Amino acid sequence: MLVITIVNPFATAAGLLGNIISFLVVLAPVPTFYRIYKKKSTESFDSVPYVVALFSAMLWVFYGLLTLDVLLLTINTGACIIEMIYLTIYLIYASKKPRAFTLKLISLVNVGIYGSLVLFTTLFVKGKRRIDVTGWICASFAVSVFAAPLSIIRLVIRTKSVEYMPFSLSFFLTLSAVAWFSYGILLGDLFVALPNVVGFMFGIAQIIIYFMYVNSKKAETKPKLNAEAMPAAATLDSVVELPEKKGVPQPVVCEFTSVIEV
């Protein structure tokens, strides 16, 4: 199914909108990596979100190739390139221990697991069933990633501070979910549409929580989360440590929202 055709003008419009919004979200970590470049150090930033974001984009690229879906291919191919640039910068400036951990994680997730999935579906699953199996894998992974905001929502409620949840990121992720849901429905592709129902619900929940606590006057009891650590991709349960202060790193538990909403 070649998506960009006169037959699917509304689906094409939704997919193009999804591409634009998702691309902006993918670029959200740029300040973080500019900071890493300027300081020549990754400080205590975590590489896990970017590894998972790359894995997610790679899965959708494979699905896009199977379905000949041009708009899925464009955004996710672009996301793969950008995430690889992020990880390259991280590996250049990381100290020995986090560099070794990141290389092992990339080898396990982006080479081992991804390669095994592609090999299995290529050798043992034939015809349309290959598309269905790959679609279910992509959709299941996307749903698990979309569940990540539960932790940050709990954190905002507990601390009564929206510093942990930037409104702009929640807003654009919600718009992205709407665009990709519309795209999937208009094409009749439930593997694209269904995960974005979950993404939309969590996005709306974040926006509601934001307005509930945006004017809260409660004194802060926890260290402030660096807003630069919020992007990416992506996506996931991880512990992000703030830059060291007085020689003692300050860990903050945070779960990221996926940068790719399909």
Side-chain angles (χ1 to χ4, degrees), residues 127-143:
K128 185 179 180 300
R129 184 170 174 79
R130 180 183 300 164
I131 295 176
D132 292 339
V133 170
T134 304
W136 279 117
I137 292 172
C138 292
S140 299
F141 184 75
V143 168

Side-chain angles (χ1 to χ4, degrees), residues 113-188:
I113 296 178
Y114 179 77
S116 298
L117 289 174
V118 172
L119 188 63
F120 173 79
T121 54
T122 301
L123 295 179
F124 301 107
V125 186
K126 304 298 181 182
K128 185 179 180 300
R129 184 170 174 79
R130 180 183 300 164
I131 295 176
D132 292 339
V133 170
T134 304
W136 279 117
I137 292 172
C138 292
S140 299
F141 184 75
V143 168
S144 66
V145 165
F146 278 132
L150 285 174
S151 178
I152 196 65
I153 289 173
R154 289 196 299 267
L155 187 61
V156 170
I157 294 173
R158 187 170 69 250
T159 62
K160 300 189 184 302
S161 169
V162 295
E163 290 181 312
Y164 300 90
M165 188 173 64
F167 176 78
S168 59
L169 186 58
S170 299
F171 178 72
F172 282 109
L173 287 170
T174 304
L175 285 184
S176 181
V178 172
W180 287 114
F181 171 78
S182 302
Y183 178 75
I185 288 296
L186 290 169
L187 284 181

Side-chain angles (χ1 to χ4, degrees), residues 185-207:
I185 288 296
L186 290 169
L187 284 181
D189 190 333
L190 294 181
F191 299 124
V192 174
L194 289 179
N196 286 287
V197 175
V198 180
F200 174 75
M201 290 190 298
F202 281 124
I204 291 297
Q206 288 182 75
I207 291 173

Side-chain angles (χ1 to χ4, degrees), residues 210-254:
Y210 179 90
F211 283 110
M212 286 176 60
Y213 291 101
V214 66
N215 295 318
S216 175
K217 302 298 182 182
K218 181 176 178 180
E220 292 295 324
T221 58
K222 289 183 177 291
K224 180 179 178 180
L225 177 65
N226 192 322
E228 293 178 348
M230 285 303 297
T235 57
L236 21 142
D237 301 346
S238 65
V239 176
V240 178
E241 294 181 349
L242 295 181
E244 295 183 4
K245 183 177 182 181
K246 296 182 180 179
V248 180
Q250 303 295 323
V252 176
V253 178
C254 175

